[in-house]
Amino acid sequence: MASKQPKISPQFNESRPDPTLTNDDLKPTKPADRTLSGLEMASLWVGLVVGVPTYYLAGSLVDLGMSWWQGIATVVAANVILLIPLVLTGHPGTRYGIPFPVLARSSFGIRGAHVPTLLRALVGCGWYGIETWIGGEAIFLLLPKSIKASQSLSQNLPWLGTSPLEFACFVVFWFVQLAIVWRGMEGIRKLEKYSAPILIILTSSLLIWAYVKAGGFGHMLSLSSKLSNSQFWSLFFPSLTANISFWATLALNIPDFTRYAKTQKDQVLGQIGLPVFMGLFTFVGLAVTSSTKVIFGHVISSPIQLLGQIGGVYTTVLAIFGISLATLTTNIAANVVAPANALVNLSPSKFTFKRGALLTALLGIAFQPWRLLKSSESFVYTWLVGYSALLGPIGGIILVDYYLVKRTNLCVNDLYSLSPRGEYYYSGGYNLAAMAALVVGILPVVPGLLQKAGVLSYVPDLFVVIYNNAWFCSFFSAGILYWILSFLRGKQEDSQLIDPLLNTTT
């Protein structure tokens, strides 16, 4: 493995790529298009972090029994850990200008790359639905009480799982997002850039309101932990996994954004914004959630429900604007780009970024996000921890391949070639070592997931521990197995090259 170094070819030959593997959305970015500065990368994270799911995740930790400082420590620790794979995976995007689906070809094979990209796309579609539902709730909050009082419109339909009125608000917000996505990556970049300062102002305003109403930070942060020492640690590790899973999606497809960065320094400085802004916004979410105990007499972890309690026309309109903007910036950047690019990679001749985005939006409805958000338990420990079993092994395999096997050297032209002599063709276009490592990384988490989802009533304690640490277990087990298999394959290839020479000398 170590003796066979890949061919270094950072330059992309426009005349050589296979037409079934490329289009304008998948080609390496040109130097003229790499305009994203470190500050703009950081502002991207402001737009991503400041949103209802982040607030809801923070509030859920308090709702589940943690104190405010325990919640912040859990979130910051998770994002500092995640910063490492985030920066490492962002490197090839900046160096070679390639998006995530093309990077995946180097480790999974030209055709095998469809497996990790579609798994990432599936999670993105689920998140797209969740964010869109939250935006629809903001619209629902703005509706006059007379409309919401209608029995025929507001009554839950068992087969749908929600009311016709709430579903209609969801569809309205769904169309609003699609209109912005239709402008492509440049429209997304501008939305993130100009919305960042607005979101910071609105978040600060919410914190000030809670401070005044609760009578200072002393009252606001008076909510202590409800957990014993053993209970805290049993909750901490799955919560840590859930928080890592929260942005593990972006840690995979971050090359989709870093490919536009000016330099490696810009992409690294910009990525540092994740733990910083997550820590700050988590403080806001936990502080405001804790203050609701003082202000209203009970904890309100959902910002949508909190805004409904606050009331007032001007406050409601401003809140709707803030929630909508926060939802748009998070959802479009985090949950449209990756699935759209994955679909483009699946069939560049049939899919464009816009068509991929449309299918992503349609699949977001199929996920029925109102069911995923029915409780803190289902959101944090079923959805977040559950999908980390899919993303963890993909990240482990890609990083081991890029840094330990390929030593950061990629042949860009071969990433767009179906030639059997190509560097990434492997066995019929599939890297069997990566496929095996992916399966081994996922399987041990499945029993715990089935038990958490209610399919199985009991599983051995070992599988519960594995599930609670799903991202870590799957990331390292898949990465280590892939490294071993790649090493053995390299040894085998070396012996095949040496044997003919030995035969000629005997």
Side-chain angles (χ1 to χ4, degrees), residues 425-447:
Y425 192 76
Y426 299 106
S427 300
Y430 295 89
N431 185 353
L432 301 182
M435 296 300 174
L438 178 63
V439 172
V440 168
I442 293 173
L443 282 180
V445 185
V446 173

Side-chain angles (χ1 to χ4, degrees), residues 75-159:
V75 171
V76 172
N79 286 280
V80 168
I81 292 170
L82 191 61
L83 182 62
I84 299 170
L86 195 68
V87 170
L88 293 177
T89 311
H91 183 279
T94 303
R95 182 175 184 181
Y96 298 103
I98 54 176
F100 166 64
V102 176
L103 174 62
R105 294 173 185 173
S106 69
S107 52
F108 284 86
I110 295 297
R111 293 191 175 101
H114 295 315
V115 175
T117 54
L118 289 175
L119 287 175
R120 167 63 183 95
L122 190 67
V123 175
C125 291
W127 265 118
Y128 186 90
I130 288 172
E131 292 275 7
T132 306
W133 177 256
I134 289 168
E137 280 191 309
I139 296 175
F140 180 78
L141 185 67
L142 189 61
L143 294 176
K145 290 183 179 179
S146 57
I147 296 178
K148 289 188 278 191
S150 171
Q151 286 288 332
S152 59
L153 294 176
S154 300
Q155 189 171 6
N156 276 13
L157 301 177
W159 62 270

Side-chain angles (χ1 to χ4, degrees), residues 23 91 134 163 272 365 416 427:
N23 64 12
H91 183 279
I134 289 168
S163 68
I272 295 173
I365 300 174
Y416 297 87
S427 300

